[in-house]
Amino acid sequence: MAWTARLTGTSTRLGALLAALLLAGLALGLAVGPLGLEPPWALDAEARRLLLGEIRAPRGLGSALAGALLGLAGALAQGLFRNPLADPYLLGSASGAGLGVVAVLAAAPLTAGAAAAWLPAGLAAGLGPLLAGTGLVVAAFVGALGGVALTLALAGGAARPLKLLLCGVVVGVLLGALSDLLMLVSPEALRGKQAFLLGSTGLLGWEAVRLLGGVLLLSLPLALRGARVLDALVLGPQTAASLGLALPRLRMALVVVLALCTGCAVSQAGLVAFVGLVAPHIVRRLVVVTHGPLLALSAAAGAALLLWADLAARWLVAPQELPVGVLTAVLGGLYLLVLLRRQEVAG
């Protein structure tokens, strides 16, 4: 039976609500500018074309797509590790992305010096912006995937989730230490790393939208195909193996999807905290479903969370702008504290 056939009336209503929130957020995003609410019809034709078509529209879509990838990755991580506190950054992707960013920033002065000595002046002058833009995105993506690959290598694959989780912690500490050592050699890399760690959706453009959308279109069907593995793992590894599932191979495939989602989102928006952790929690609090609908609804919840967090970051202190990762960390932390408090009272 397809997972779509197992949707309950409650989950269908939740999906409709999340879709409405996404559409409303995308529409409102077209009217939120540096001065707060700026209705599109108040702008002249050229300003509408530039602001709506090249800045606000891709930023809103990019925020929603990055949030969807983080929500999907969070649901996968929590299902794989059977731990509601698992998040997409557990396997070393965050520290790997941070190390990649710091490495590029630390190497930029050396690269610029070598370029000035060996390349024509025009080409050398264009190298700096390239490193500051595309180079950082590529470094974050490669670093995130490299961190997960190192974790998998140390753990000997994905057959033992507890060992994989512990290796992820070790890799996170190791790569974080290497990043700190690089910053001692090149202190100017600290500011760039801080901006990356705070998370930002301000530079999302149509290229980012195409990349994020493509990865989501690839990852979501693959994750849904592996949903039955996560359903079986709820009963325990032994029971899941007795059902004839090749758990090591299927776990590895889901870990690859998790790494791809996380690496892509991190490379475009930085380390946006708590979205991947909170989105599946919200869905499970509202509906009881198997992992197929949970994965899809978590992606939609993550999209809505990051989109509305981006709107709040742009509007709350306009004309200044808050780092969206700081806002999601505060709101996500408060949500989890309230949730834990309610569980203590109920217990």
Side-chain angles (χ1 to χ4, degrees):
M1 182 183 295
W3 70 269
T4 50
R6 297 197 292 267
L7 283 172
T8 64
T10 305
S11 58
T12 303
R13 288 192 293 272
L14 176 59
L17 174 62
L18 291 172
L21 285 173
L22 283 170
L23 291 175
L26 291 172
L28 183 60
L30 297 177
V32 177
L35 301 179
L37 287 176
E38 297 175 340
W41 57 84
L43 305 172
D44 60 62
E46 182 61 23
R48 280 199 302 270
R49 186 194 66 79
L50 178 61
L51 291 176
L52 304 187
E54 300 298 329
I55 299 176
R56 295 182 188 174
R59 178 171 182 170
L61 286 171
S63 299
L65 290 169
L69 288 174
L70 290 174
L72 176 61
L76 284 172
Q78 292 172 18
L80 282 169
F81 296 113
R82 291 185 293 158
N83 186 337
L85 293 179
D87 79 350
Y89 302 143
L90 279 178
L91 298 183
S93 57
S95 53
L99 177 60
V101 168
V102 171
V104 168
L105 292 173
L110 298 176
T111 305
W118 296 96
L119 297 178
L123 185 59
L127 187 61
L130 179 63
L131 285 174
T134 306
L136 291 181
V137 170
V138 173
F141 183 68
V142 172
L145 296 185
V148 176
L150 181 57
T151 299
L152 287 170
L154 290 177
R160 290 178 285 182
L162 181 57
K163 184 177 181 181
L164 184 65
L165 187 60
L166 293 175
C167 289
V169 174
V170 172
V171 168
V173 174
L174 174 63
L175 297 184
L178 291 176
S179 177
D180 292 338
L181 285 175
L182 278 178
M183 285 190 294
L184 288 176
V185 177
S186 179
E188 59 272 13
L190 177 60
R191 179 176 296 180
K193 182 185 178 183
Q194 285 178 333
F196 173 76
L197 292 176
L198 293 176
S200 174
T201 53
L203 299 179
L204 293 175
W206 289 116
E207 286 294 328
V209 168
R210 284 189 283 270
L211 175 62
L212 293 166
V215 171
L216 182 62
L217 288 175
L218 173 67
S219 301
L220 185 56
L222 293 175
L224 293 176
R225 290 190 64 181
R228 63 192 181 99
V229 179
L230 302 179
D231 290 335
L233 285 174
V234 174
L235 304 174
Q238 291 77 18
T239 304
S242 70
L243 297 175
L245 297 174
L247 285 183
R249 178 174 59 83
L250 293 172
R251 273 200 187 111
M252 176 64 78
L254 290 177
V255 168
V256 171
V257 174
L258 165 62
L260 181 62
C261 292
T262 307
C264 183
V266 165
S267 69
Q268 300 299 319
L271 292 181
V272 179
F274 276 101
V275 171
L277 177 61
V278 170
H281 272 276
I282 293 175
V283 174
R284 283 194 295 265
R285 290 278 295 176
L286 297 175
V287 295
V288 178
V289 289
T290 56
H291 276 89
L294 175 65
L295 292 172
L297 290 172
S298 296
L305 282 173
L306 189 52
L307 175 59
W308 281 91
D310 176 58
L311 291 175
R314 292 154 60 183
W315 178 74
L316 283 177
V317 292
Q320 301 298 317
E321 186 173 314
L322 292 172
V324 69
V326 173
L327 194 58
T328 58
V330 171
L331 296 177
L334 290 175
Y335 171 79
L336 291 180
L337 287 175
V338 171
L339 188 62
L340 290 172
R341 180 61 179 168
R342 287 181 178 176
Q343 290 178 345
E344 289 178 0
V345 172

